[in-house]
Amino acid sequence: MATIEKQQVFAAPGEPGSPVELRDRYDNFIGGGWVAPSEGRYRENLTPATGLPFSSVADSTAADIELALDAAHAAKASWAATSPAERAQVLNAMADAVEENLQMLAIAESWDNGKPVRETLAADLPLVIDHLRYFAGAVRSEEGRISEIDKDTYAYHFHEPLGVVGQIIPFNFPLLMAAWKIAPALAAGNCTVVKPASPTPWSILKLAEVVADVVPPGVLNIVNGPGAEIGRALASNKRIAKIAFTGETVTGRLIMQYAAQNIIPSTTELGGKSPNIFFADVMAADDDFLDKAIEGFVLYAFNKGEVCTAPSRALIDESIYDEFMERALERVRAIVQGNPLDPETMMGPQVSATQLEKIEGYVKIGLDEGAELLTGGHRPDVGGKLEGGYYFEPTVLKGTNEMRVFQEEIFGPVVSVTTFKDEAEALAIANDTLYGLGAGVWTRDGSRAFRMGRGIEAGRVWTNCYHQYPAHAAFGGYKISGVGRENHRMMLDHYSQTKCLLVSYDQKPLGFF
Amino acid sequence: MDPISATPAAVEAIERLREKHGSIVFHQSGGCCDGSAAMCLTEAELPPGPNDVVLGMIADAPFVIDAEQYERWGRPNFEIDVAPGAAESFSLEGSDGVHFISRAPTTANDEENQP
């Protein structure tokens, strides 16, 4: 009998044998170099795997945002003057540098955020690379449009960079969400000041280390510190031409308010409570498609549920409920939790103690509301060195859509399950929410899939799939899930001004005066 | 039961923030990342909007929530507490390296409902 060899657990950053070098402390990345925070303060950075600090990062103030903006503005004119081919070359060189260091960065990302290395190796980092290459390609194919007003008058439309933009990154995909924002901004000829999330300030600095030589100084700047201090200083700054934010709704409102005060565009992505809908015909055969659909249900635990589009409401046709859930729960119970650096781990710890406590609180709220606990619901006993980590079991609650656990984003490995009678009820439940970011529809009936897809009020409806994030597909929210889109070449428009040259080739005056 | 309450530690943190920033307000957030937390802002920065409701006062600071969100959450009570670690949001207490939490206050039948 063949034996399957257990894959080796990666050593933690800084430990002997780890490909990830670790310094005691990390400065801000400004103007192509490492700049100490103005007030000289650093903050300990924890790994959620153990809850213990492993390095320190800059604890910056508004003055450091100004330094980063100085560097970005100094680089603005020369970067804007580069040809699309030159910018594409820089993005491709960044992609190559990340690819050469893929394993190192995947481990760093895992350690900073807690997501399992099997995800960072197979999803986060390959997608970072692909987004950089996609926008390198997209910018090469950009062209303006010409409107022929009449035989003597033409409107030439050009894309011009906005200038210097501010970008605020969430903690759930510290590298991938940064790539989503940085790649189109740079491709379109902008310089950027990036503020990473407070719980995950470090992996992006490892990325900066590997791309520092290929990005011109000042084009990409990264400043760490509290949102209350530097996020606000960046978002409200007169010297940015656009602000992009991913996070919660109140800060989203603030961001849009600052943008209104400075009269600049903003993009906000503010979360969701995405329905994942399983019609009866998924169980018409016991085949690969059913297996895929069952996995589609379990994808709520992807990235330990810390995903804005997590399929956190599962809507199951009542005629298949028992049979479907039996298989789904079996698959949920097979999830292996533990050290995120173990390639066999399927679910790592939540990002912080706060998130862990919140998730636990929501499970309790759900039970108080009368939801039924089908599996999970506790902190697992992970033991040993991981004792202080922020682990929570993959959890399934059964209830009804008016419960709070169906209405508010838990941002953890908790799915709330309910049933529906027919297509009309499925659609009504799907849309009975404040949010509209993602949705999943699973059926063997193509017409129904199309009807549902068009009927659901959400920016992304995955049809017979879930949690795919290709660069060439637009992503963003309806309703309070935010304003604007990310990904797809349309992002080049979102990071550009439109210049219209209106030219008359007529020699004759108008005749008014 | 008051719809809004605060732990002594939270009240202390609120007093500190008021000394530093003047009038402050709490906005219950929603959505991604720190979505379930209450954000503490200066009243001048984000006054209650036309579709917000003021649920009450905590240590003399108004506690505000979007009206529809309040209904959809089933008109819950909120207990505000404070815990170590800065959140990623713009909530003012982040500069002090702590963050406010919105909890569902403990109810009488908690014991039997423990997961």
Side-chain angles (χ1 to χ4, degrees), chain A residues 171 228-229 232 248-250 253 257-258 270 308 354-355 357-358 362 364 368 378 407-409 432 435, chain B residues 29-34 36 39 45-46 52 68 72-73 76 88-91 95 99 103 110 113 115:
Chain A
F171 63 67
E229 187 89 30
R232 181 180 267 103
E248 35 65 47
T249 55
V250 167
R253 275 172 68 172
Q257 186 175 286
Y258 293 138
L270 307 178
C308 299
T354 306
Q355 292 295 322
E357 195 204 335
K358 173 181 83 172
Y362 267 116
K364 188 176 162 303
D368 283 350
H378 307 88
Q407 290 294 331
E408 176 52 1
E409 186 163 2
D432 185 10
Y435 299 97
Chain B
S29 198
C32 161
C33 307
D34 294 322
S36 300
M39 303 292 154
E45 189 167 37
L46 191 64
D52 289 332
E68 190 182 350
R72 284 185 175 276
W73 284 16
E88 72 175 286
S89 74
F90 288 15
S91 200
S95 302
H99 63 277
R103 284 208 183 89
D110 263 358
N113 276 339

Side-chain angles (χ1 to χ4, degrees), chain A residues 356-433:
Chain A
L356 178 63
E357 195 204 335
K358 173 181 83 172
I359 294 159
E360 217 168 17
Y362 267 116
V363 171
K364 188 176 162 303
I365 286 170
L367 298 178
D368 283 350
E369 284 180 306
E372 187 188 339
L373 182 67
L374 301 184
T375 190
H378 307 88
R379 300 183 187 201
D381 181 15
V382 283
K385 281 186 191 166
L386 307 177
E387 203 59 65
Y390 313 131
Y391 299 85
F392 198 77
E393 288 172 348
T395 299
V396 182
L397 296 172
K398 189 190 181 196
T400 50
N401 197 56
E402 73 281 358
M403 291 177 175
R404 193 167 157 191
V405 288
F406 281 79
Q407 290 294 331
E408 176 52 1
E409 186 163 2
I410 297 173
F411 222 62
V414 181
V415 62
S416 303
V417 183
T418 193
T419 58
F420 62 86
K421 284 187 178 55
D422 54 23
E423 190 179 313
E425 192 186 18
L427 184 62
I429 296 172
N431 286 336
D432 185 10
T433 171

Side-chain angles (χ1 to χ4, degrees), chain A residues 10-22 103-104 107-108 202 341:
Chain A
F10 293 106
E15 279 182 10
S18 171
V20 191
E21 281 175 31
L22 191 60
Q103 191 185 76
M104 184 278 282
I107 293 167
W202 174 71
L341 297 184

Side-chain angles (χ1 to χ4, degrees), chain A residues 32-280:
Chain A
W34 299 95
V35 178
S38 303
E39 295 192 5
R41 285 201 313 265
Y42 295 81
R43 195 180 287 258
E44 274 188 338
N45 186 33
L46 314 177
T47 172
T50 61
L52 298 173
F54 67 95
S55 69
S56 294
V57 297
D59 186 21
S60 308
T61 53
D64 301 304
I65 290 292
E66 296 300 333
L67 289 178
L69 286 168
D70 290 345
H73 277 272
K76 183 174 88 164
S78 58
W79 182 242
T82 53
S83 66
E86 288 169 303
R87 294 203 295 272
Q89 218 165 13
V90 168
L91 288 166
N92 279 324
M94 290 171 76
D96 292 346
V98 173
E99 194 166 47
E100 281 160 25
N101 293 279
L102 192 152
Q103 191 185 76
M104 184 278 282
L105 290 170
I107 293 167
E109 182 75 325
S110 227
W111 204 236
D112 206 16
N113 166 281
K115 58 177 71 199
V117 76
R118 72 190 238 153
E119 285 180 13
T120 56
L121 285 168
D124 299 64
L125 268 300
L127 281 168
V128 167
I129 296 161
D130 191 55
H131 277 73
L132 291 164
R133 288 187 178 143
Y134 172 79
F135 280 103
V139 73
R140 295 297 303 275
S141 69
E142 270 286 269
E143 52 191 15
R145 301 179 74 158
I146 301 171
S147 321
E148 185 173 340
I149 312 300
D150 59 43
K151 71 178 176 41
D152 291 319
T153 317
Y154 295 85
Y156 299 95
H157 297 103
F158 297 90
H159 299 288
E160 293 182 354
L162 294 170
V164 174
V165 300
Q167 301 181 309
I168 299 178
I169 315 297
F171 63 67
N172 56 347
F173 292 86
L175 293 182
L176 183 57
M177 292 301 104
W180 279 22
K181 288 180 167 59
I182 293 167
L186 267 50
N190 304 283
C191 298
T192 181
V193 175
V194 173
K195 185 222 163 309
S198 303
T200 52
W202 174 71
S203 57
I204 192 169
L205 301 176
K206 296 302 291 180
L207 185 140
E209 284 178 358
V210 310
V211 303
D213 289 342
V214 299
V215 183
V219 170
L220 169 65
N221 306 278
I222 303 163
V223 182
N224 271 307
E229 187 89 30
I230 66 162
R232 181 180 267 103
L234 178 62
S236 62
N237 206 287
K238 274 303 271 184
R239 293 202 288 159
I240 56 167
K242 174 182 169 123
I243 181 74
F245 170 77
T246 301
E248 35 65 47
T249 55
V250 167
T251 304
R253 275 172 68 172
L254 264 185
I255 293 279
M256 288 187 269
Q257 186 175 286
Y258 293 138
Q261 283 160 348
N262 288 328
I263 316 187
I264 59 167
S266 64
T267 310
T268 48
E269 199 273 83
L270 307 178
K273 192 71 186 176
S274 302
N276 203 10
I277 306 164
F278 298 87
F279 284 98

